[in-house]
C-alpha cells in the first residue's frame, strides 16, 4: 500500500493525515472475531468472512476517520442466504456514538437481497431506509461507498447515489461531525428478524456462508489525535450531488426504495422526525 499524504496540519501536537490510497487488507484492517472464519487472501487483496452455526466473523479498520470518501467492493452470500446479515458500516464509540450503516439482509434463493441503511447521531438512530438492488449482488463484486463531509452523507452503489443525509444542524438535527469512526464489517446470523421479520430461518445445511471484499479505497482524513480540523482543499470535502446525481437519486428512490422511515406514519404517530420535512 502506498499512501499519499496530501495535507498535514499540526495544532499542539494534533494531526490529521489527509490521505488517498488503494488498500491492502493486511495493512488497513484487522480481523477481530470468528476463530479463523475470516481470511485475508491473495497477498492482501481479498478478504472473506464466513458464517456457520457456531459463529460468524468480522473485521475492523486499523485507522479511524473523520470525514472522507470510503469505497469497498463486496460480493454477498450467494444462494439461500435467508437469515444472514452482512453488515458494513462506520462507527465511533461510546454511549453517544455516531454510525453510518449498510446492512445486507439475505433471502431465499431467487428472492432479492434487501439493502438496509441507517444513520446514528449521538446514539440515536431510527432513520432506516431500505432498498432492493437493480442487480444480483451475489454474482460479482459491486462498489458500496460512503461520502461523508461536513455538508452531508451520501450512500452510493456503483457510483449511483441511493440516499443523502444532509447536515441540518441549523434546524436542530444532529449531524456526525465530531467523532472519528472506524470501518467495521461482519457476517452473522440474524434469523430472528432479518428475513421476512424472522419468519424465514437460516438453513444451516447451506453453511458455510461466505461474503467477499476487495478494492478498499479511502480518500479520507485519518484521525491520529484529537483537536484538529480537516483540510478543505480536497474535492470530496465539498462535494454534493449535481443535477445528474440528483436525478439518479430520484430514480433509485422511486423504483427501488421499499421502506422509508419518513413515510411510516404508524411508527411516528406524534409526527415525523424533523429532517423528514426539512431535507
Amino acid at each position: 500500500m502506498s499512501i499519499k499524504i496530501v495535507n498535514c496540519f499540526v495544532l499542539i501536537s494534533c494531526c490529521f493525515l489527509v490521505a488517498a490510497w488503494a488498500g491492502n487488507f493486511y495493512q488497513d484492517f484487522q480481523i477481530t472475531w470468528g476463530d479463523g472464519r475470516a481470511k485475508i487472501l491473495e497477498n492482501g487483496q481479498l478478504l472473506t468472512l464466513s458464517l456457520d452455526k457456531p459463529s460468524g466473523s468480522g473485521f475492523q479498520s486499523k485507522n479511524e476517520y473523520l470525514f472522507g470518501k470510503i469505497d469497498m467492493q463486496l460480493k454477498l452470500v450467494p444462494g439461500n442466504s435467508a437469515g444472514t446479515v452482512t453488515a458494513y458500516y462506520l462507527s465511533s464509540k461510546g454511549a453517544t456514538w455516531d454510525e453510518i450503516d449498510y446492512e445486507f439482509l439475505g433471502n431465499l434463493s431467487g428472492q432479492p437481497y434487501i439493502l438496509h441503511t441507517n444513520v446514528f447521531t449521538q446514539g440515536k438512530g431510527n432513520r432506516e431506509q431500505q432498498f432492493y438492488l437493480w442487480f444480483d449482488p451475489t454474482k460479482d463484486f459491486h462498489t458500496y461507498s460512503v461520502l461523508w463531509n461536513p455538508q452531508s452523507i451520501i450512500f452510493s452503489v456503483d457510483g449511483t447515489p441511493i440516499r443523502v443525509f444532509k447536515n441540518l444542524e441549523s434546524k436542530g438535527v444532529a449531524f456526525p461531525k465530531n467523532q472519528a469512526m472506524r470501518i467495521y464489517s461482519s457476517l452473522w446470523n440474524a434469523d430472528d428478524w432479518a428475513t421476512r421479520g424472522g419468519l424465514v430461518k437460516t438453513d444451516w445445511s447451506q453453511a458455510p456462508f461466505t461474503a467477499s471484499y476487495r478494492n478498499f479505497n479511502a480518500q479520507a482524513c485519518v484521525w491520529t489525535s484529537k483537536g484538529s480540523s480537516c483540510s478543505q482543499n480536497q474535492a470530496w470535502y465539498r462535494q454534493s450531488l449535481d443535477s445528474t446525481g440528483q436525478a439518479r437519486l430520484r430514480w433509485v428512490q422511486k423504483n427501488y426504495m421499499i421502506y422509508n422511515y419518513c413515510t411510516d406514519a404508524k411508527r411516528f404517530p406524534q409526527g415525523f422526525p424533523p429532517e423528514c420535512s426539512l431535507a
Side-chain angles (χ1 to χ4, degrees):
M1 179 192 73
S2 61
I3 299 180
K4 179 183 178 184
I5 304 301
V6 182
N7 279 296
C8 182
F9 292 90
V10 180
L11 292 177
I12 316 177
S13 299
C14 297
C15 185
F16 271 101
L17 303 182
V18 184
W21 67 86
N24 179 294
F25 284 108
Y26 283 121
Q27 297 183 28
D28 298 328
F29 293 91
Q30 58 189 25
I31 293 169
T32 49
W33 63 285
D35 193 24
R37 292 172 179 83
K39 295 181 171 64
I40 298 175
L41 306 167
E42 297 181 6
N43 296 315
Q45 299 306 302
L46 179 71
L47 189 152
T48 61
L49 295 181
S50 292
L51 163 70
D52 54 26
K53 196 167 186 178
S55 179
S57 51
F59 66 90
Q60 70 180 39
S61 63
K62 293 180 179 179
N63 287 323
E64 293 179 286
Y65 306 92
L66 185 60
F67 303 129
K69 184 177 186 297
I70 310 292
D71 303 320
M72 183 80 82
Q73 290 193 332
L74 281 75
K75 182 164 67 172
L76 300 180
V77 174
N80 182 2
S81 58
T84 71
V85 172
T86 306
Y88 165 59
Y89 59 102
L90 289 89
S91 181
S92 62
K93 297 180 179 180
T96 56
W97 78 100
D98 295 332
E99 187 170 321
I100 303 168
D101 280 350
Y102 282 103
E103 289 186 301
F104 302 90
L105 312 185
N107 214 331
L108 295 168
S109 296
Q111 299 298 311
Y113 262 81
I114 292 174
L115 172 51
H116 175 101
T117 67
N118 204 349
V119 176
F120 287 75
T121 57
Q122 299 176 13
K124 178 183 179 297
N126 299 324
R127 298 186 176 99
E128 298 90 349
Q129 291 183 355
Q130 294 183 337
F131 306 84
Y132 289 142
L133 293 165
W134 49 96
F135 53 83
D136 183 343
T138 73
K139 297 296 186 185
D140 204 350
F141 286 90
H142 293 269
T143 303
Y144 302 90
S145 304
V146 171
L147 173 60
W148 170 35
N149 63 29
Q151 292 77 48
S152 63
I153 297 165
I154 302 174
F155 296 74
S156 298
V157 178
D158 289 339
T160 295
I162 64 169
R163 177 176 186 175
V164 177
F165 183 78
K166 295 182 179 179
N167 185 341
L168 297 171
E169 281 189 312
S170 62
K171 306 295 185 181
V173 180
F175 184 82
K177 68 171 190 179
N178 296 317
Q179 300 186 75
M181 303 195 215
R182 292 189 193 276
I183 301 166
Y184 297 88
S185 192
S186 58
L187 175 57
W188 51 290
N189 177 44
D191 66 3
D192 56 334
W193 65 270
T195 305
R196 294 183 59 202
L199 294 177
V200 182
K201 300 301 183 181
T202 303
D203 180 0
W204 293 111
S205 71
Q206 304 296 311
F209 304 97
T210 301
S212 302
Y213 302 74
R214 73 179 187 190
N215 289 348
F216 167 67
N217 189 72
Q219 301 174 66
C221 298
V222 178
W223 179 261
T224 59
S225 189
K226 296 181 179 179
S228 186
S229 61
C230 215
S231 167
Q232 300 182 22
N233 296 325
Q234 313 309 309
W236 60 262
Y237 193 88
R238 303 180 302 276
Q239 186 176 340
S240 60
L241 292 184
D242 59 15
S243 59
T244 300
Q246 291 170 4
R248 287 180 167 182
L249 177 69
R250 289 191 295 269
W251 174 77
V252 170
Q253 296 194 341
K254 177 182 178 182
N255 293 288
Y256 294 98
M257 180 184 281
I258 59 172
Y259 178 80
N260 182 1
Y261 75 107
C262 282
T263 61
D264 191 344
K266 290 183 179 179
R267 185 178 176 190
F268 299 103
Q270 305 304 316
F272 292 114
E275 67 268 17
C276 294
S277 59
L278 295 171

